[in-house]
Amino acid sequence: EVLLVESGGGSVQTGGSLRLSCAASGYTTGLNCMGWFRQTPGMERERVGAIDADGVTSYAESVKGRFTISQDNPKNTWYLQMNSLKPEDTAMYYCAADSIPSRACTAGLRAHAFHNWGQGTQVTVSL
């Protein structure tokens, strides 16, 4: 079993920054793709971006240039650095992890491709 725990959410004003963390524990062997997603009430879970085991990243167009995904492999921890936050970034943010081929990992996978999820952390951006 894999346990993913997010942290770092909170409330900021427009233009502010937050860094989310996702720590993995349990049976993490083979996990080679980590994604960040976000969801607002009544909407589908939206892909923010992903990182593969080699550190290759991809991002949704809406966050490209503002958000950065990184990883600390020895610690089994991934990060989502969010800069220049906008009110439309307000959402519950989730990390997800799975064993997925690298090319697919960074090709824009949707939420259903991941089987391991964290509990989510709320990010609220005010005007």
Side-chain angles (χ1 to χ4, degrees):
E1 182 180 359
V2 176
L3 178 64
L4 302 177
V5 179
E6 300 102 334
S7 60
S11 297
V12 295
Q13 292 186 323
T14 297
S17 297
L18 283 173
R19 188 177 81 155
L20 307 184
S21 300
C22 177
S25 61
Y27 190 72
T28 59
T29 301
L31 294 180
N32 61 357
C33 178
M34 204 289 291
W36 284 99
F37 292 79
R38 64 187 183 186
Q39 189 171 25
T40 54
M43 302 296 289
E44 287 189 6
R45 199 163 289 190
E46 172 191 34
R47 173 182 169 272
V48 174
I51 187 168
D52 71 10
D54 294 324
V56 178
T57 56
S58 65
Y59 301 93
E61 285 299 320
S62 59
V63 306
K64 198 172 290 185
R66 300 187 298 122
F67 290 12
T68 302
I69 298 173
S70 61
Q71 61 189 2
D72 185 338
N73 287 333
K75 294 183 179 179
N76 281 332
T77 301
W78 300 268
Y79 306 96
L80 177 65
Q81 177 67 44
M82 305 185 292
N83 298 328
S84 302
L85 282 161
K86 306 175 181 179
E88 51 263 45
D89 295 318
T90 295
M92 185 71 78
Y93 282 71
Y94 299 88
C95 64
D98 219 308
S99 177
I100 298 172
S102 178
R103 181 172 293 183
C105 176
T106 55
L109 291 175
R110 300 180 70 176
H112 63 76
F114 293 87
H115 296 92
N116 303 294
W117 290 87
Q119 82 287 354
T121 186
Q122 178 68 37
V123 171
T124 302
V125 184
S126 59
L127 291 170

